[in-house]
Amino acid sequence: TTLGFQGLVITDSLSAGAISQSGYDLPRAGVAAIAAGNDMILFGSTLTPAQTLLLTPQNVATSIGQIADAIVAAVGSGTLAASRLNNAVEHVLAAGHINLCA
């Protein structure tokens, strides 16, 4: 059923143990989250103190790159509809009151 919600949908942390215990790495979880209707992906907020120390700008940039690459590959293979990705981008921009058509 459709609830008709048109707002921004954001994941909980994809670094949560339940995600990795389900067999998902961060890039695959990101693709699945977008495909499921999420517009933004969060990660890193459920890490242990030792894991948090690994959140250097370089490591975060690497994770973001891996997620972006996985999303691009999923669109390219048809696993993720380009229209779903476009819709997610539109929701994010609308939340920031950004209109690219103006």
Side-chain angles (χ1 to χ4, degrees), residues 6-72:
Q6 297 298 316
L8 187 64
V9 180
I10 303 172
T11 68
D12 196 353
S13 178
L14 296 183
S15 300
I19 302 296
S20 60
Q21 290 170 6
S22 295
Y24 286 88
D25 61 10
L26 193 52
R28 189 167 156 236
V31 170
I34 296 293
N38 289 277
D39 301 313
M40 291 182 73
I41 299 167
L42 300 180
F43 67 93
S45 63
T46 56
L47 301 175
T48 65
Q51 292 168 322
T52 301
L53 292 175
L54 298 175
L55 288 178
T56 64
Q58 182 177 348
N59 288 346
V60 171
T62 297
S63 293
I64 291 169
Q66 291 170 341
I67 294 166
D69 290 345
I71 290 170
V72 168

